[in-house]
Amino acid sequence: MTATTGPTRTQLFARFATTTRDEDIPEPVRDYGKLVLLDSLVCGLAAVRLRRSRMVQQVAARFGGPAEATVFGLEQRVAAINAVHANADMMNALDADDTFFNSAHFAVFGVAAGLAEAERLHAGGASLLRASILAFEINARLNLSTSLMAFEDGQFRWSPLSSHGYASMGTAAACAVVGGWEPERLAHALGLIAWLAPPAKNSYMAERRSFNAFKYGPYGAIAHAGMLGAALAEEGYTGDLDVLDRTPGFIEAMGFLGGERHEMVAGLGSTWWISETSLKPYPTCRFTHAALDAIRAFPGSHGVPVSQIESMEIRLSPAAYRTLQFREPAQQIPDTLGAPLDGAFNMPYTAALVLLGHAPGPQWYDPQRLADPAVWDLARRITTAPDPVLDAEWEADLKKHPGGQIRRTRGALTIRADGREYVIESDFAQGDPWDEATRADWDFVAGKLATFCDGILDAGSQEQLVEVVRGIEDVADVAEALSPLLARAR
């Protein structure tokens, strides 16, 4: 147990979230926060037709409640807590949402909660943007206090126990920001969430050959716990205010290998971690993206027709290669509700789609695409291997930052075509924020909206959505300006 003097970490988080004003957030951070907001909405809209999404939409409709908030793909409006459950689940369903330091996704929690509460309270767009940014900051700091990855005796290993349950705290923070809460109420909500958030599970994701409905976290349940904790605190429930200061405590309950607790509040209000999250151009695990960028450019840059490719070896990061689905790719992907997740981790399948020119989006996992002989004929020529360069770089980084601050995945591949061998290496990936050449901008996210939501949201609505989010601070009522656009997705 750790004794505390002065404010606890939950109290510091609560004060940060509820007292930070728009002008306290640097303009570049607000601008990037808008891109993350729009990108998260795109991910949810793009997922509306997935089999799994139809299920969670029906669950939201079944529980219903007062018509407070919009669910992607559902005509019926439902209680805010039910909308947040469904929307958080759908925004992660394609594995196309943001990725923080190549290891975690959690922007959608603040977006889902901020959106629903803004609808419920008829709040303005400035509060939605501020809520999504501040929720991200809290979740990022909790993430950096954990350790999902490590090296032991020179070998990479995943934590056998883990949970994204910490993101329930960011969810509650978003509610507090939009609702204009006092710090004390949010501090109690965060304390309550230590009891409510989904705990660690022993799923051995890295050893699975196929996913069930969840990948590595029940996003809907995590968001629901955050909303429930917030609602109980509003009614007067009190929570433990020292849950982030005790050892063992909340972080250990999330099951991680370890971490650095000082990351929680270090630079709070001056260091903005949202600027370090990557946006994705493909509906796949982020570990694939640098290679997919290089593969996409190969035929044109080298003048080699795809038909002449004899074989391809893709070298992967230690985290990817330690995952069975990357190390031993399946030779087919059945048309099940888990197909988008299985496909997101199947490097030969996604590489073949890119080589054949299929625009990225949910259509990658349509039944006809999953069974396309041309795709699998090409995929059978593609293999994966470890990348010694990244092994060394990641081991050094994880020793320096046990919580993980991995900036590089790089593309490294060898292609044999028409009797020649091509060795291709590239740094970073499109959507990475650490270089101006790859950093996402409005054209990047608008392009993703166009390809991911083709046939789901008409072009005029897409243009309106981009313009509304670009000017989100000027929106007087989110329920009137933004929600009708989201409701058009079918």
Side-chain angles (χ1 to χ4, degrees):
M1 182 165 85
T2 303
T4 60
T5 58
T8 65
R9 290 186 175 103
T10 55
Q11 290 172 320
L12 291 172
F13 275 157
R15 184 186 305 166
F16 166 67
T18 58
T19 64
T20 297
R21 302 163 299 175
D22 292 337
E23 55 267 31
D24 297 326
I25 304 173
E27 186 174 355
V29 175
R30 293 201 307 273
D31 290 343
Y32 198 71
K34 291 180 187 180
L35 292 176
V36 176
L37 170 60
L38 178 57
D39 183 80
S40 300
L41 296 176
V42 170
C43 292
L45 293 167
V48 297
R49 295 178 182 173
L50 298 182
R51 195 173 310 174
R52 177 180 135 182
S53 295
R54 293 304 189 199
M55 294 175 181
V56 79
Q57 290 160 7
Q58 289 306 307
V59 169
R62 173 185 168 188
F63 287 115
E68 294 174 337
T70 303
V71 172
F72 300 124
L74 186 67
E75 185 173 357
Q76 173 186 345
R77 287 165 61 85
V78 300
I81 191 170
N82 294 327
V84 171
H85 176 278
N87 287 340
D89 191 82
M90 284 188 281
M91 283 191 277
N92 178 250
L94 282 166
D95 199 9
D97 47 324
D98 81 296
T99 311
F100 185 60
F101 284 127
N102 287 296
S103 67
H105 319 248
F106 42 73
V108 303
F109 295 101
V111 172
L115 173 65
E117 285 295 278
E119 289 185 90
R120 183 176 76 88
L121 299 173
H122 292 275
S127 67
L128 168 57
L129 177 62
R130 188 169 69 255
S132 61
I133 291 173
L134 297 177
F136 188 99
E137 293 306 315
I138 289 174
N139 284 341
R141 291 167 177 281
L142 291 168
N143 172 265
L144 290 171
S145 301
T146 67
S147 182
L148 180 64
M149 303 177 285
F151 275 82
E152 291 184 356
D153 299 323
Q155 298 296 312
F156 178 90
R157 67 173 291 211
W158 288 103
S159 175
L161 290 170
S162 65
S163 173
H164 267 58
Y166 60 81
S168 297
M169 291 195 171
T171 305
C175 296
V177 172
V178 175
W181 291 13
E182 294 297 319
E184 183 179 7
R185 181 185 295 173
L186 177 56
H188 283 294
L190 299 181
L192 292 168
I193 284 166
W195 293 70
L196 299 171
K201 83 286 183 190
N202 192 346
S203 60
Y204 290 99
M205 188 195 89
E207 303 303 327
R208 291 182 180 182
R209 292 193 178 276
S210 182
F211 288 106
N212 55 33
F214 298 130
K215 182 175 52 173
Y216 46 66
Y219 272 50
I222 294 166
H224 188 277
M227 295 293 289
L228 180 58
L232 291 173
E234 280 194 286
E235 295 300 326
Y237 267 55
T238 56
D240 301 321
L241 300 183
D242 59 354
V243 293
L244 297 178
D245 299 289
R246 289 181 173 268
T247 304
F250 181 69
I251 295 301
E252 287 73 23
M254 295 296 100
F256 292 96
L257 292 167
E260 297 189 358
R261 287 174 178 268
H262 73 272
E263 294 280 10
M264 281 192 211
V265 295
L268 189 64
S270 58
T271 299
W272 297 92
W273 290 111
I274 194 170
S275 301
E276 303 276 5
T277 201
S278 301
L279 303 188
K280 291 182 170 185
Y282 308 105
T284 63
C285 175
R286 187 62 179 172
F287 299 151
T288 71
H289 285 208
L292 291 179
D293 283 345
I295 291 166
R296 193 176 196 175
F298 173 75
S301 61
H302 290 82
V304 177
V306 172
S307 60
Q308 291 184 4
I309 293 177
E310 300 159 8
S311 67
M312 179 186 301
E313 179 188 85
I314 303 171
R315 291 176 287 283
L316 298 172
S317 71
Y321 200 70
R322 179 61 182 80
T323 303
L324 185 62
Q325 288 180 325
F326 281 125
R327 192 168 65 251
E328 299 177 14
Q331 300 299 301
Q332 61 177 347
I333 301 174
D335 178 26
T336 67
L337 81 163
L341 298 180
D342 290 335
F345 283 70
N346 192 303
M347 192 78 241
Y349 176 74
T350 56
L353 290 171
V354 165
L355 282 168
L356 293 172
H358 294 294
Q363 59 273 15
W364 274 16
Y365 308 114
D366 288 344
Q368 64 270 25
R369 191 69 63 234
L370 292 171
D372 189 342
V375 172
W376 288 107
D377 176 67
L378 186 53
R380 280 189 288 271
R381 304 177 226 165
I382 301 171
T383 59
T384 61
D387 184 342
V389 173
L390 287 182
D391 282 355
E393 288 186 4
W394 282 44
E395 182 173 10
D397 187 278
L398 288 170
K399 286 180 179 178
K400 184 177 181 182
H401 303 288
Q405 295 185 24
I406 307 295
R407 287 178 169 83
R408 199 159 88 113
T409 55
R410 90 183 195 116
L413 46 146
T414 300
I415 300 175
R416 294 173 181 84
D418 195 26
R420 296 182 60 189
E421 183 174 279
Y422 302 84
V423 178
I424 300 171
E425 296 185 342
S426 62
D427 289 336
F428 302 111
Q430 290 301 310
D432 277 344
W434 306 293
D435 190 293
E436 288 302 316
T438 59
R439 188 178 179 86
D441 57 17
W442 287 101
D443 288 339
F444 178 99
V445 184
K448 179 174 176 177
L449 171 61
T451 58
F452 274 58
C453 295
D454 183 32
I456 293 173
L457 196 66
D458 65 81
S461 296
Q462 291 182 21
E463 291 179 8
Q464 290 179 52
L465 179 60
V466 172
E467 289 308 307
V468 168
V469 176
R470 288 192 78 155
I472 195 70
E473 296 104 328
D474 299 324
V475 169
D477 186 342
V478 167
E480 291 183 1
L482 181 57
S483 303
L485 294 172
L486 304 179
R488 295 176 192 173
R490 290 290 185 271

